[in-house]
Amino acid sequence: MDIILQGIKEGFLLIWSLDPKIIEVTILSIQVSLAALFFASVLGIPFGALLALRPFPGRKALLNITYTLMGLPPVLAGLIVFLFLSTRGPLGYFQLLFTPTAMVIAQVLLGFPIVAGITARAVMAQPQEVYDTAATLGATRRHAVWTILRESSLGIIGAVTTAFGRLIAEVGAVMMVGGNIDGHTRVLTTSIVLETRMGNDSRALAIGIVLLLLAFIIMMTIFQLEKRSFKDDTSIQIV
Amino acid sequence: MRKLFKNKKFAVLIMAIFLMGALAGCGNGADNNADNNTPAPAPAPENPQIKMATTTSTQDSGLLDAILPEFTKDTGYEIEVIAVGTGAAIKMGETGDVDVILVHSRAAEDKFVEDGFGVDRKDVMYNDFLFIGPKDDPAGIKGTDDAVAALKAIAEKQATFVSRGDDSGTHKKEVKTWAAAGIEPAGEWYKSVGKGMGDTYRMADEMKGYTLIDRATFLANQDKYELEAMVEGDKLLLNPYGVIAVNPEKYPNVNNDGALAFIEWMTSEKGQKLIGEYGVDEFGQALFVPDAK
């Protein structure tokens, strides 16, 4: 119990003292995960919508693959990216292994199926009437599709936040392709692993608290943005 | 709820998941029974479970897998191995989470005993470290047996050097050698990766850098990678292992009888012989040199 209290105390001291090492590591964590989230969303939302709205041969199979990959183990994603980027791998020429870029690539691989899969679900959950109403009101096909996406935005934001939660907390992939190099590719999660391995449990807990606070702040920001774009009638009123 | 289960398919799916869980549980139970039924070759001691924290090198080199079955046969003790860095292994001893530790960092071991956490420390064996590096050898150190001169050359050329950076015994040895060279390594060329030996080896290979490695890990993995032995044979690079029982006065719950039996066996004629033989068949040379007194 002592070590837990000590860790929590140390966590707040660590934040309070603005330890430059921790700041550096925190900034890299934010950069990598937000960059990966950005690419995963830019690719995943349209892909998910396409899977939901457009019948084409192999659509069912693609949907199933996407759902399966939502559970892609991070170390496996890391290993695949590692093998591609290794000096002996097909993309070794670019010398990307053990760089933040490699970490972003691995995390996009993890985030993309989550964003696409949950987006597809959210869009498919919309009743046919949404499209029909838009169409009768004289919307073009494109406008009608846009209306459906707008109606699904709660679910799509859910997709993005879920993916973000996975990416910021993920350690297997970034450890493998980033290499946890001090001052270069070390992030919050890999720091926790390292501190634990060195037996610095309270410092590991402290960094964990920094990570949780960071996730809290970013999630809050996303929800604030969400609030702004919705009227209050989005939550269900139980009378 | 009722509405949910009206959908038969859904109910079947849920049941299938629970059933799978239940079956998995049964499987484990059966295994445990099988274990209990096997007769132990030696009379079973009162508390036959020993927990040992050790460094990754003893585990990854395959030494423990080779000798521990003999220990179990001779004494009836089963030993659970937790392989971590020396720092973490000693910490587990300090918190009384294990019964015995087998580590390699003399200064930290002595402190562990001095602080009253450990008793009955014994030398067991040593192995050695060597510097390995890329074939083209940018620092020009291949073939010397002077670790200090080699590090000076690496620092001067700013050749890529990959450091464990994890407070492990190997890392401490590296830090000590840099100190002996009067260099505080820093800069783009010095990569502190905070990883175990196997991962560090792999990263050094990818980056075509130099690194310090224990001989066992090097011999066991050298087929997979391209790095070559550069500097070996320096006295500075010897690596003695000690075995220490966790103090039963501090932690009455530890299995002190088991710990003592393990220490006695490791330093016995038979244990020492097995240690000295390990690796000869596979690698053409022993990985560890027994040196119990």
Side-chain angles (χ1 to χ4, degrees):
Chain A
M1 199 57 210
D2 277 1
I3 198 126
I4 298 172
L5 291 177
Q6 166 93 18
I8 293 170
K9 197 176 120 200
E10 216 175 291
F12 287 106
L13 284 177
L14 208 60
I15 297 163
W16 184 249
S17 67
L18 299 174
D19 182 333
K21 263 257 129 71
I22 297 292
I23 291 176
E24 182 189 296
V25 165
T26 309
I27 289 173
L28 186 66
S29 272
I30 298 174
Q31 284 172 336
V32 167
S33 293
L34 282 187
L37 184 69
F38 174 75
F39 289 114
S41 302
V42 164
L43 299 170
I45 295 174
F47 185 72
L50 188 80
L51 283 181
L53 295 176
R54 194 163 208 139
F56 56 88
R59 166 172 169 267
K60 258 256 139 70
L62 261 182
L63 258 177
N64 275 330
I65 293 171
T66 307
Y67 291 150
T68 307
L69 290 182
M70 285 170 72
L72 182 67
V75 272
L76 183 60
L79 180 61
I80 293 167
V81 174
F82 187 102
L83 293 175
F84 269 90
L85 299 184
S86 154
T87 43
R88 273 160 277 179
L91 303 177
Y93 169 79
F94 298 104
Q95 301 242 323
L96 286 175
L97 199 57
F98 308 133
T99 62
T101 312
M103 297 156 78
V104 172
I105 293 172
Q107 290 212 330
V108 170
L109 206 60
L110 286 171
F112 171 76
I114 296 178
V115 175
I118 303 182
T119 299
R121 287 255 152 178
V123 174
M124 282 190 283
Q126 295 303 320
Q128 179 69 34
E129 289 90 69
V130 176
Y131 183 87
D132 293 347
T133 312
T136 29
L137 288 177
T140 60
R141 243 172 94 97
R142 248 179 70 198
H143 272 118
V145 166
W146 183 243
T147 310
I148 295 179
L149 287 185
R150 271 203 66 93
E151 289 294 318
S152 321
S153 53
L154 251 187
I156 294 176
I157 289 169
V160 173
T161 45
T162 307
F164 177 73
R166 182 129 199 253
L167 298 186
I168 193 81
E170 183 277 320
V171 59
V174 290
M175 180 65 108
M176 196 172 282
V177 301
N180 189 30
I181 299 172
D182 190 15
H184 185 46
T185 57
R186 184 164 296 169
V187 290
L188 288 168
T189 52
T190 57
S191 302
I192 295 176
V193 173
L194 175 60
E195 295 295 344
T196 310
R197 278 200 32 195
M198 301 203 307
N200 302 332
D201 295 344
S202 55
R203 193 172 160 89
L205 271 176
I207 299 171
I209 288 169
V210 175
L211 180 63
L212 276 177
L213 275 177
L214 178 66
F216 175 75
I217 291 167
I218 293 181
M219 289 294 185
M220 272 313 178
T221 316
I222 293 177
F223 287 132
Q224 282 305 318
L225 291 176
E226 178 193 66
K227 241 192 213 159
R228 228 184 272 169
S229 59
F230 284 104
K231 293 183 198 92
D232 280 338
D233 58 7
T234 50
S235 58
I236 292 174
Q237 306 281 328
I238 298 182
V239 191
Chain B
M1 268 315 254
R2 207 189 295 153
K3 200 173 174 193
L4 199 60
F5 281 105
K6 252 186 193 161
N7 184 338
K8 267 193 192 150
K9 271 189 188 162
F10 185 76
V12 168
L13 180 74
I14 294 287
M15 274 160 68
I17 290 172
F18 276 108
L19 204 67
M20 259 159 33
L23 282 178
C26 287
N28 285 340
D31 280 357
N32 287 341
N33 287 342
D35 277 353
N36 290 342
N37 290 338
T38 20
E46 203 175 309
N47 179 1
Q49 289 293 334
I50 309 173
K51 280 198 290 277
M52 171 170 75
T54 183
T55 66
T56 45
S57 50
T58 53
Q59 172 93 323
D60 294 352
S61 64
L63 173 74
L64 294 179
D65 289 340
I67 67 170
L68 289 184
E70 287 294 316
F71 168 67
T72 303
K73 222 192 275 171
D74 289 349
T75 62
Y77 283 105
E78 292 276 349
I79 194 154
E80 266 172 54
V81 175
I82 301 144
V84 287
T86 289
I90 289 178
K91 192 84 172 196
M92 285 180 192
E94 284 177 6
T95 50
D97 289 323
V98 293
D99 308 313
V100 61
I101 61 175
L102 174 64
V103 294
H104 57 87
S105 181
R106 194 55 203 262
E109 284 168 43
D110 288 343
K111 187 166 183 304
F112 181 70
V113 174
E114 254 166 47
D115 293 349
F117 293 112
V119 287
D120 295 298
R121 185 196 172 284
K122 290 264 164 56
D123 291 325
V124 180
M125 59 190 183
Y126 63 84
N127 66 349
D128 68 334
F129 291 105
L130 61 162
F131 285 101
I132 56 175
K135 200 178 285 177
D136 59 355
D137 189 16
I141 57 171
K142 186 166 179 148
T144 68
D145 59 1
D146 185 343
V148 165
L151 285 187
K152 280 181 178 156
I154 290 172
E156 191 159 309
K157 285 268 159 25
Q158 308 226 325
T160 303
F161 187 96
V162 183
S163 165
R164 288 279 295 270
D166 63 351
D167 204 26
S168 61
T170 310
H171 181 226
K172 284 178 178 152
K173 180 66 92 179
E174 182 212 316
V175 169
K176 234 164 131 186
T177 316
W178 282 113
I183 299 169
E184 219 169 279
E188 252 310 290
W189 59 276
Y190 184 79
K191 319 249 185 213
S192 174
V193 301
K195 289 193 169 189
M197 194 70 254
D199 288 335
T200 306
Y201 188 3
R202 184 170 198 166
M203 284 185 71
D205 188 64
E206 280 291 336
M207 294 194 271
K208 298 197 192 321
Y210 294 95
T211 194
L212 181 70
I213 191 168
D214 62 282
R215 186 170 300 274
T217 308
F218 177 61
L219 288 177
N221 293 290
Q222 58 177 340
D223 303 343
K224 285 186 270 182
Y225 305 124
E226 285 168 6
L227 299 183
E228 297 176 356
M230 293 282 149
V231 181
E232 51 192 328
D234 192 319
K235 258 215 187 92
L236 260 177
L237 301 178
L238 286 187
N239 179 36
Y241 283 74
V243 62
I244 314 173
V246 172
N247 191 350
E249 278 169 28
K250 207 145 200 154
Y251 296 104
N253 289 334
V254 298
N255 184 356
N256 187 244
D257 292 339
L260 293 180
F262 179 69
I263 293 174
E264 193 180 318
W265 187 87
M266 283 293 273
T267 53
S268 73
E269 207 171 305
K270 177 165 182 194
Q272 292 280 293
K273 185 164 158 281
L274 286 174
I275 290 170
E277 282 170 356
Y278 176 68
V280 176
D281 289 345
E282 204 176 330
F283 308 113
Q285 53 178 299
L287 300 186
F288 297 91
V289 181
D291 76 334
K293 281 144 212 150

